[in-house]
Amino acid sequence: YQAKIQNGGHQFFNERIINTFLRKLDVENELRWAIAKNQLTLYYQPQVSASTGHLEGMEALIRWNHPRLGSVSPGEFIPIAEETGIIMDIGKWVLKEVCAQLNSWLSASLAVPAIAVNLSARQFLVPDLASSIGDIVRQTCCDPQHIVIEITESSSMNDIESVLPILHELKSIGFQIAIDDFGKGYSALGYMKQFPIDILKIDKSFVQELTSDSKSAVITKAIIDMSHGMNLRVIAEGVETQEQLKYLQAMNCDIVQGYFIDRPMPSEQLELRYLKGVWSSCQNGSAN
Ligand code: C2E
Ligand code: MG
Ligand code: MG
Ligand code: MG
């Protein structure tokens, strides 16, 4: 009360801190119920060949719609889920959901590419991560080849000693591995050769500066060439313009993902727009 009289600005500053704190508490408390109350869904964003435009994969991205809070972005709630450990249950939910979706598409004879799932650094701190997600996939009778595990570069570099054996285990179960947000963290290139990875995803900050900053263009080209030299597929994230796409095509980038191609969308929409029945597409092919 005194602070308010003496210094209005100071009081306002305190209120902001308190509001941020209260919002975080609110999000945290509600997040604990999000799975049980069916508030989580997955959206899927297409990943297409830079040269042909054909669907090569898709990334599962979590969405949370809360009756009072509205839609809360993963950028806000994933860090809170990581801090509190709620990410463990969310991670399992995501994987089960993706396996169920894969099964449903495959049993409808749709030609579906691999689905990428994001894993948090925190999930890699549990030594039985590989066997626990291997169990989920086995229980749902999913082929691990159809799943790409995305791990961010910063989290994989953080604790290489514990992450490396888990990556090898995931790989031996049959999952594909992608390094996400590559170039954003402290790239320790020396470790790249030890990692059993299949795909490298160039961070969107490079893609977004591709046409305005020649250094970003040089780095992007170097990442693409290095990846090809190591037999990795490269995905450019955050492709928002035709011009960026043209640069990436000229640089021989394999796969592109971003708003220019398409936004993340519900599974039904992706199915309608991108997935063709194996049988019907054969029939169409022979008819034409
Ligand atoms: P990420 O894995 O790097 O995912 C890419 C993010 O970029 C997504 O944000 C996607 O919607 C957004 N994006 C796609 N195309 C464009 C574009 O052209 N321009 C721009 N500016 N952005 C684009 P989203 O869905 O908000 O997710 C943010 C982050 O939250 C993800 O970054 C990932 O780190 C995390 N996340 C999302 N879903 C999950 C999940 O199921 N589990 C975990 N552990 N993390 C998740
Ligand atoms: Mg990702
Ligand atoms: Mg990314
Ligand atoms: Mg990210």
Side-chain angles (χ1 to χ4, degrees):
Y1 176 65
Q2 277 222 315
K4 193 172 186 177
I5 292 167
Q6 282 164 7
N7 185 341
H10 203 182
Q11 177 72 13
F12 176 72
F13 180 65
N14 286 339
E15 253 170 47
R16 261 192 22 207
I17 292 177
I18 290 167
N19 285 338
T20 307
F21 175 76
L22 289 178
R23 163 79 183 184
K24 204 176 153 192
L25 266 187
D26 197 9
V27 167
E28 178 183 330
N29 285 329
E30 294 304 313
L31 193 56
R32 296 187 189 280
W33 302 99
I35 296 178
K37 291 188 174 171
N38 257 321
Q39 293 164 351
L40 300 179
T41 47
L42 291 181
Y43 271 34
Y44 295 87
Q45 188 176 32
Q47 301 169 325
V48 306
S49 156
S51 52
T52 69
H54 286 161
L55 188 71
E56 297 284 336
M58 58 182 101
E59 179 173 8
L61 293 159
I62 199 162
R63 294 293 176 263
W64 179 22
N65 201 16
H66 183 276
R68 174 172 51 85
L69 298 172
S71 116
V72 185
S73 79
E76 179 177 7
F77 76 81
I78 290 290
I80 296 175
E82 288 173 347
E83 248 174 68
T84 53
I86 306 174
I87 195 66
M88 298 303 174
D89 286 335
I90 291 182
K92 283 181 194 150
W93 179 85
V94 169
L95 201 66
K96 281 183 195 159
E97 195 68 17
V98 163
C99 288
Q101 187 61 66
L102 268 171
N103 279 334
S104 132
W105 278 334
L106 289 169
S107 63
S109 297
L110 298 175
V112 49
I115 302 183
V117 173
N118 291 285
L119 253 64
S120 288
R122 171 91 187 242
Q123 292 175 267
F124 280 85
L125 294 181
V126 181
D128 75 342
L129 171 81
S131 59
S132 87
I133 74 175
D135 286 346
I136 292 174
V137 171
R138 219 166 295 117
Q139 280 156 20
T140 47
C141 304
C142 241
D143 181 354
Q145 301 271 17
H146 273 110
I147 296 176
V148 177
I149 303 286
E150 286 194 8
I151 171 175
T152 63
E153 187 196 18
S154 48
S155 58
S156 56
M157 296 302 173
N158 252 346
D159 190 1
I160 288 164
E161 246 87 291
S162 51
V163 168
L164 193 57
I166 299 177
L167 288 181
H168 278 292
E169 221 181 313
L170 288 169
K171 196 68 196 137
S172 72
I173 295 173
F175 293 105
Q176 299 181 60
I177 313 273
I179 297 291
D180 202 356
D181 300 347
F182 186 82
K184 191 179 166 188
Y186 312 91
S187 306
L189 290 179
Y191 289 103
M192 291 296 300
K193 60 177 184 186
Q194 296 182 46
F195 277 39
I197 58 181
D198 305 281
I199 298 165
L200 201 144
K201 298 186 75 176
I202 303 175
D203 189 63
K204 52 176 166 282
S205 59
F206 291 103
V207 176
Q208 262 138 38
E209 288 173 357
L210 209 49
T211 56
S212 59
D213 175 5
S214 62
K215 283 181 186 163
S216 285
V218 170
I219 293 172
T220 303
K221 177 82 171 84
I223 295 175
I224 292 170
D225 290 343
M226 178 192 76
S227 302
H228 288 160
M230 293 169 73
N231 270 321
L232 307 177
R233 270 173 297 152
V234 193
I235 300 181
E237 293 197 287
V239 181
E240 292 180 349
T241 68
Q242 172 102 56
E243 214 188 348
Q244 289 164 355
L245 177 60
K246 279 193 179 144
Y247 269 64
L248 291 162
Q249 286 168 330
M251 291 173 172
N252 241 337
C253 181
D254 304 297
I255 299 167
V256 285
Q257 175 182 355
Y259 297 162
F260 182 72
I261 320 301
D262 231 327
R263 298 207 165 232
M265 62 187 88
S267 59
E268 299 82 18
Q269 207 173 324
L270 188 134
E271 178 180 327
L272 277 173
R273 289 209 219 156
Y274 287 89
L275 303 182
K276 295 196 187 83
V278 175
W279 305 119
S280 67
S281 76
C282 287
Q283 281 160 7
N284 289 343
S286 57
N288 289 332

